[in-house]
Amino acid sequence: EALGNHSDYLMIMTYDEHYQDGDPGSVSSLGFAEKSIQYAVSKVPKEKIVLGIPFYGRIWKDGGGFPQGMGIGNEEVQALIARYGGKAVFDPNSSTPYATITIRAKDHKPTINGKSIDAGTYTIWFENQQSIKQKLQLVEKYDIKGTGSWSLGQETADTWNYYKLWV
């Protein structure tokens, strides 16, 4: 409340629901984002609330080891899925996608934040057009100021196509 009294707007962080070294899961489920907005508008005028939307995902090595929830840009997620024949699935409980990729011993080993990853199976939770569109609808539902993002440059090129349609 005090911050709301002294600010023009507050960008609320509706991401990092699951985080580095934590349990695997969505970066920002729809329910997590909505509860964050509900709390914020109970304390601060809705006209001051900006919804922070992530343009990244997190990758976990199944069974443990590096990386455990390291952040990865959505563009990089798409490249890994394509390169390693991964399959993305939309999780209806979180309203976010995740993908599973398998890197074999003979495959080229990609790097995550400058460190090479080993052969193994990896699960990547990320944002896509469908999950971001659902979060954009929360702006209208709660009549809040708008959106911001973390982190510019990690989005896929088509992100701005549907942002333009939404605006």
Side-chain angles (χ1 to χ4, degrees):
E1 286 180 60
L3 288 173
N5 291 332
H6 300 285
S7 64
D8 294 327
Y9 67 91
L10 297 174
M11 183 180 299
I12 58 172
M13 185 176 124
T14 62
Y15 43 86
D16 281 352
E17 177 179 10
H18 292 87
Y19 45 85
Q20 187 171 334
D21 295 326
D23 293 332
S26 64
V27 173
S28 175
S29 69
L30 186 61
F32 182 79
E34 187 161 18
K35 285 177 186 170
S36 298
I37 293 170
Q38 289 169 344
Y39 177 79
V41 299
S42 77
K43 304 292 182 185
V44 177
K46 65 183 180 179
E47 298 80 17
K48 290 188 173 191
I49 301 299
V50 176
L51 173 65
I53 296 178
F55 290 156
Y56 67 95
R58 292 196 176 276
I59 182 169
W60 282 266
K61 184 174 185 184
D62 294 4
F66 179 81
Q68 287 302 302
M70 184 74 65
I72 180 172
N74 282 348
E75 192 73 36
E76 191 175 1
V77 170
Q78 295 305 319
L80 288 172
I81 292 169
R83 182 172 196 157
Y84 298 102
K87 180 169 174 58
V89 176
F90 195 80
D91 176 51
N93 294 324
S94 66
S95 294
T96 58
Y98 67 93
T100 302
I101 63 168
T102 299
I103 301 172
R104 295 180 190 353
K106 293 181 181 180
D107 289 342
H108 166 79
K109 305 304 183 286
T111 58
I112 304 297
N113 291 341
K115 185 175 177 185
S116 182
I117 62 176
D118 296 329
T121 300
Y122 296 83
T123 302
I124 309 168
W125 288 84
F126 61 103
E127 298 292 322
N128 70 359
Q129 182 174 343
Q130 186 176 358
S131 65
I132 293 173
K133 280 182 179 180
Q134 289 179 349
K135 288 175 183 70
L136 291 173
Q137 291 172 356
L138 294 174
V139 174
E140 294 173 26
K141 180 176 180 178
Y142 290 93
D143 196 26
I144 60 177
K145 185 173 185 74
T147 70
S149 64
W150 183 268
S151 159
L152 286 177
Q154 294 189 3
E155 72 277 7
T156 57
D158 66 342
T159 300
W160 302 114
N161 295 337
Y162 53 88
Y163 248 90
K164 286 178 196 173
L165 293 172
W166 171 72
V167 170

